[in-house]
Amino acid sequence: MLHASPQIDLRTIRSHPDYWYPVAWSHELRAGKVIGTRYAGIPVALARPQNGGRVFALEDRCAHRQVPLSQGILQGDAVRCCYHGWAYDRFGRCHNIPYLGKCHHHVRVFPCREQNGMIFIFPGDASKADATPLSPELAQTANPAYKTRFFGSTIRCHYSFMHENLMDMNHQCMHFKQVGQMKPRFLGQKREPGVVEARYSFARIGGKQPLGEAIIFGERRDTSERFQNRDIMTIRTEYPYQTLRIQTGDNCLVMDLWIAYVPQSADELTNRTFGLLSIKRPKIPFLLDLAWPILIAFTNRIFAEDCEIVELEQKAWRDLGGDHNVEIFPVINTLRDLLRECGIPPDHHYA
Ligand code: FES
Ligand SMILES: [Fe+2]
């Protein structure tokens, strides 16, 4: 692990590539197709062979003249470039050139896995891929007792703003219109290598519980004493992923959110968010299916508010030429240290 000095502006730290990053939803890549995606300025072509062949990932630049391979087609198990027809197998090797014959050129290959509706690549040192676990659990996507929403978008900010936003529950006033008046109580933090965890409870001090929230908790809650500070929210950054879990007083996990923020541009000042939001099904399971559109609208509104504010933070960073944050909340400072330590400083050249 590299130890960047705390003076280094966090928004100039690059994500560490020796992790598995989602780069597409499974449903975006149909059998027999190639699509283009990216990680931190590196263009990536994903291909899914016909007949159930495993997805593979190549650098999205033809070895001949660097045009995107994702503009080409999949022929059998090979990606054929649209320009002069050089074809690459899943190991990135071009065996022969249509108009010349034998060829020893190749393109870079990324270790690639598909799991829980997402396609992941390992953009760093490929020899470390097998020994690197894909992620902590991917919400409850595989658990039939939960219904999972897949969501996300491209957000114009450094991934560190996203981590801070989710872990910082002191911004409830921004969501006032959506959730009413909620008072968080910070219960403590945990710091382990590569991990920061914050725990909160909540008290409703005004406003009515929105229907979307009642769907998540599986019951109606009001401002009465018995609901105050009863539910525990645990937010955890386990580099480079983040989770948010809500447990009700009876120790039941009612919501399990998993998110990854994948840098898009080379300066890493944009990210594509991949989120999995699992909600526990109530006793009458189909009720959640009926209420799903309400839940989606509710969570969308909150997500939109968060996206807007982090983009404004990034804009201020650009306008002011750096980070002028006066952060005083200890867990956020702990989180910033973690993101600095786990990432790559701007002057460091990662081979
Ligand atoms: S640019 Fe790809 S084959 Fe020529
Ligand atoms: Fe928020």
Side-chain angles (χ1 to χ4, degrees):
M1 207 163 275
L2 299 155
H3 288 273
S5 127
Q7 279 76 41
I8 294 178
D9 189 323
L10 178 56
R11 321 307 168 187
T12 64
I13 301 271
R14 283 167 295 132
S15 59
H16 203 296
D18 286 346
Y19 291 91
W20 290 94
Y21 288 90
V23 286
W25 299 110
S26 294
H27 68 77
E28 292 177 272
L29 180 58
R30 284 182 291 129
K33 296 284 179 205
V34 195
I35 57 168
T37 177
R38 59 181 46 240
Y39 163 80
I42 305 171
V44 178
L46 298 176
R48 187 194 298 282
Q50 294 279 10
N51 308 321
R54 274 191 304 114
V55 174
F56 60 94
L58 307 176
E59 183 166 351
D60 197 7
R61 287 189 189 108
C62 180
H64 184 207
R65 295 174 66 148
Q66 287 74 54
V67 302
L69 290 173
S70 56
Q71 299 275 316
I73 54 162
L74 197 58
Q75 253 180 9
D77 275 6
V79 177
R80 182 172 291 283
C81 178
C82 66
Y83 203 175
H84 311 87
W86 293 22
Y88 302 87
D89 65 13
R90 64 164 53 247
F91 305 104
R93 294 177 305 217
C94 172
H95 294 286
N96 66 68
I97 296 170
Y99 49 94
L100 286 178
K102 271 217 163 324
C103 158
H104 300 288
H105 297 288
H106 59 91
V107 292
R108 187 175 170 197
V109 181
F110 300 98
C112 182
R113 284 188 200 167
E114 186 167 24
Q115 201 165 315
N116 301 59
M118 286 178 289
I119 298 169
F120 292 78
I121 63 157
F122 194 90
D125 177 352
S127 68
K128 294 182 179 155
D130 282 347
T132 306
L134 194 123
S135 161
E137 290 151 58
L138 298 167
Q140 302 291 322
T141 32
N143 185 344
Y146 292 77
K147 186 174 170 80
T148 298
R149 174 175 184 214
F150 298 74
F151 72 98
S153 60
T154 299
I155 302 157
R156 287 169 310 215
C157 74
H158 189 257
Y159 60 89
S160 57
F161 285 116
M162 306 297 292
H163 280 269
E164 292 177 19
N165 173 268
L166 194 70
M167 195 167 279
D168 180 9
M169 282 298 131
N170 299 312
H171 73 271
Q172 290 308 314
C173 57
M174 186 181 76
H175 297 306
F176 171 69
K177 269 204 209 129
Q178 312 307 334
V179 296
Q181 276 175 285
M182 298 293 279
K183 193 167 184 288
R185 181 193 280 173
F186 182 61
L187 302 176
Q189 60 169 297
K190 196 153 84 181
R191 176 76 157 98
E192 291 165 4
V195 174
V196 175
E197 190 181 276
R199 292 187 329 124
Y200 300 87
S201 66
F202 282 89
R204 175 169 295 285
I205 53 172
K208 246 181 75 172
Q209 184 193 37
L211 195 51
E213 192 190 290
I215 294 165
I216 293 171
F217 285 106
E219 66 175 347
R220 274 295 197 184
R221 300 278 167 94
D222 54 28
T223 50
S224 65
E225 188 54 38
R226 68 198 172 106
F227 293 131
Q228 306 291 300
N229 295 304
R230 195 181 111 151
D231 309 309
I232 306 294
M233 182 181 282
T234 307
I235 302 138
R236 182 178 168 94
T237 290
E238 187 163 344
Y239 192 88
Y241 317 104
Q242 203 166 32
T243 57
L244 184 154
R245 297 193 169 104
I246 301 175
Q247 290 190 301
T248 53
D250 46 8
N251 236 353
C252 171
L253 180 68
V254 290
M255 187 184 119
D256 189 354
L257 170 73
W258 177 94
I259 304 201
Y261 315 110
V262 183
Q264 297 294 289
S265 49
D267 61 10
E268 306 206 11
L269 299 182
T270 54
N271 77 85
R272 184 174 172 194
T273 293
F274 289 82
L276 307 173
L277 176 68
S278 298
I279 305 292
K280 181 127 178 32
R281 289 184 180 278
K283 286 192 190 73
I284 310 170
F286 70 84
L287 274 186
L288 186 59
D289 300 312
L290 282 177
W292 203 240
I294 298 169
L295 182 104
I296 288 182
F298 173 66
T299 50
N300 273 356
R301 285 194 297 269
I302 293 181
F303 186 56
E305 287 177 343
D306 285 323
C307 291
E308 190 187 346
I309 207 74
V310 289
E311 288 190 341
L312 288 172
E313 281 194 278
Q314 183 67 70
K315 181 177 180 302
W317 182 91
R318 284 183 199 273
D319 293 349
L320 298 171
D323 208 343
H324 293 262
N325 281 3
V326 186
E327 187 50 65
I328 50 166
F329 191 44
V331 73
I332 299 302
N333 282 324
T334 309
L335 173 64
R336 299 176 105 208
D337 290 344
L338 170 104
L339 295 172
R340 267 198 203 89
E341 281 171 27
C342 292
I344 309 262
D347 53 357
H348 183 89
H349 294 285
Y350 182 82

